[in-house]
């Protein structure tokens, strides 16, 4: 087959597969290994890994090595066919999953996958773990099947990663969106004892990770309490929702109140009246602006995670 014709044939695959094709996929379309070698030597194809090539005219994509390694696991099947078979296919996991989710600061020096059946490889840059993953632990990100953030965190603990590094992964995951803490606790249960907690106590291990990450309820409350004007703003907002309360009309004889209850009660009444009145003043506007500035970019997803955790513990 001529080179130009070969490229047209390969385009049927590469256009829907990140510009990539495997030698097995090419062979199924009548393109021999010799054809692939010639196309590579001429610069029409770029060899990414053993048996995996990229159309030189296609742009390099993010996670290219990981994608190439995933394609090489089942080289005959097209990417979309394997995605239709999730979770019964190789799934990106471990450090590679954390990198794909963009959570944590792990190096991911090799491509890691979880497969339902045992696989071996001589490639030092590829690692397999054998496990049948339930559908709830697998998602698709950037066109690749990958363990969920909860399963990824548990896998990293299982790999005996430093808990401070795993906590960084947890913190980044919480910043993206609220985590399923029930599922995460369940996944951490079998790992609790070897991490210094009671056997099966996934809640305790999760609480430790949350504390290290600084997104447990106590840490979040401490951060919020340190924001100037926030307490006053919350109080003022609460009072604004109450029916209008006219202290002067309710207690026309302030001197009488003073005589009966003392200066402290009169002072509190006057302060509350002044606070309500101040809500329509420039002082209130400044308070709101200062608080908004302090809260800008605050980690609300982490607050939601900590709050969810606290609510779940209270219910139990």
């Amino acid at each position: 087959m001529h080179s130009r014709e070969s490229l047209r044939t390969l385009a049927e695959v590469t256009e829907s597969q990140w510009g990539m094709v495997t030698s097995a996929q090419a062979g199924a379309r009548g393109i021999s290994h010799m054809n692939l070698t010639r196309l590579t030597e001429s610069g029409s194809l770029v060899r990414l890994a053993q048996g995996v090539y990229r159309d030189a005219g296609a742009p390099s994509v993010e996670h290219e090595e990981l994608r190439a390694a995933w394609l090489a696991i089942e080289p005959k099947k097209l990417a979309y066919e394997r995605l239709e078979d999730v979770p019964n296919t190789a799934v990106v996991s471990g450090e590679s999953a954390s990198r794909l989710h963009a959570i944590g600061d792990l190096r991911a020096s090799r491509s890691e996958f979880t497969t339902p059946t045992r696989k071996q490889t001589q490639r030092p840059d590829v690692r397999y773990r054998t496990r049948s993953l339930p559908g709830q632990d697998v998602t698709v990100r950037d066109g690749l099947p990958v363990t969920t953030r909860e399963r990824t965190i548990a896998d990293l603990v299982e790999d005996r990663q430093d808990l401070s590094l795993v906590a960084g992964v947890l913190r980044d995951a919480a910043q993206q969106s609220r985590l399923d803490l029930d599922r995460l606790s369940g996944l951490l249960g079998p790992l609790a004892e070897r991490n210094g907690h009671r056997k099966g106590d996934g809640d305790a291990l999760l609480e430790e990770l949350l504390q290290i990450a600084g997104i447990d309820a106590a840490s979040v409350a401490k951060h919020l309490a340190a924001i100037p004007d926030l307490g006053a703003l919350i109080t003022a907002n609460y009072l604004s929702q109450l029916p209008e309360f006219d202290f002067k009309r309710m207690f026309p004889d302030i001197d009488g109140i003073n005589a009966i209850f003392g200066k402290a009660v009169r002072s509190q009444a006057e302060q509350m009246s002044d606070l309500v009145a101040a809500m329509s003043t420039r002082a209130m506007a400044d308070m709101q602006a200062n608080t908004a500035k302090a809260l800008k970019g605050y980690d609300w997803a982490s607050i939601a995670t900590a709050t969810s955790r606290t609510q779940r513990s209270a219910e139990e």
Side-chain angles (χ1 to χ4, degrees):
M1 187 180 295
H2 294 297
S3 296
R4 187 171 299 177
E5 185 179 352
S6 295
L7 287 174
R8 282 198 298 267
T9 301
L10 291 177
E12 298 174 2
V13 177
T14 60
E15 287 177 356
S16 62
Q17 205 167 251
W18 316 299
M20 302 178 193
V21 64
T22 68
S23 56
Q25 292 167 349
R29 288 157 179 78
I31 300 173
S32 67
H33 180 72
M34 182 62 70
N35 289 142
L36 293 175
T37 299
R38 289 173 178 169
L39 290 171
T40 303
E41 291 175 347
S42 68
S44 297
L45 293 179
V46 177
R47 186 175 182 274
L48 300 177
Q50 183 175 354
V52 183
Y53 302 82
R54 173 171 57 81
D55 185 336
S60 179
V61 293
E62 190 177 14
H63 309 299
E64 186 171 73
E65 291 183 4
L66 183 63
R67 297 179 194 277
W70 182 73
L71 287 175
I73 297 173
E74 295 184 73
K76 292 183 179 180
K77 286 188 176 182
L78 297 172
Y80 80 88
E81 294 174 326
R82 292 173 62 185
L83 288 173
E84 290 176 350
D85 198 29
V86 170
N88 302 311
T89 186
V91 175
V92 179
S93 58
E95 292 185 13
S96 295
S98 71
R99 184 179 177 188
L100 194 59
H101 283 296
I103 52 178
D105 192 25
L106 302 176
R107 295 177 59 187
S109 57
R110 56 185 175 180
S111 298
E112 296 185 48
F113 303 97
T114 295
T115 58
T117 57
R118 190 166 181 265
K119 284 188 175 294
Q120 293 180 317
T121 180
Q122 295 182 340
R123 292 179 55 177
D125 60 337
V126 175
R127 178 199 174 193
Y128 295 119
R129 73 178 79 205
T130 306
R131 174 179 286 139
S132 294
L133 292 170
Q136 71 181 120
D137 287 346
V138 181
T139 186
V140 175
R141 187 179 179 95
D142 292 341
L144 285 170
V146 59
T147 51
T148 60
R149 296 170 303 153
E150 292 82 5
R151 169 59 77 174
T152 299
I153 291 167
D155 283 349
L156 293 173
V157 175
E158 184 178 24
D159 288 343
R160 298 185 183 275
Q161 290 281 355
D162 187 303
L163 288 187
S164 64
L165 294 176
V166 181
V169 175
L170 173 60
R171 182 172 52 251
D172 288 350
Q175 288 173 350
Q176 290 180 349
S177 61
R178 187 181 300 189
L179 291 165
D180 184 343
L181 297 182
D182 286 331
R183 181 57 182 163
L184 180 53
S185 176
L187 293 171
L188 291 174
L191 309 171
E193 186 175 19
R194 77 182 195 190
N195 283 280
H197 299 285
R198 187 179 58 187
K199 184 176 181 180
D201 195 349
D203 279 349
L205 180 52
L206 174 57
E207 188 65 32
E208 180 181 2
L209 288 171
L210 288 169
Q211 289 175 355
I212 297 173
I215 55 176
D216 59 304
S219 297
V220 169
K222 184 177 180 180
H223 287 310
L224 291 176
I227 298 176
D229 291 333
L230 182 57
L233 184 61
I234 292 174
T235 301
N237 184 65
Y238 172 74
L239 291 173
S240 71
Q241 307 304 314
L242 297 177
E244 185 175 348
F245 192 82
D246 189 341
F247 287 95
K248 301 296 184 181
R249 188 173 64 180
M250 181 68 73
F251 304 112
D253 185 4
I254 292 296
D255 293 333
I257 293 176
N258 180 46
I260 297 174
F261 299 103
K263 294 181 180 180
V265 173
R266 185 184 69 172
S267 176
Q268 290 178 7
E270 290 176 340
Q271 288 177 15
M272 291 182 70
S273 180
D274 291 342
L275 181 57
V276 174
M279 294 182 64
S280 61
T281 68
R282 178 64 183 175
M284 186 63 181
D286 289 342
M287 189 191 312
Q288 291 174 327
N290 292 336
T291 303
K293 183 178 180 181
L295 292 175
K296 185 177 181 181
Y298 200 80
D299 184 3
W300 291 109
S302 292
I303 293 177
T305 296
T307 303
S308 176
R309 169 68 178 163
T310 303
Q311 289 175 339
R312 188 161 67 90
S313 298
E315 291 172 357
E316 293 173 353

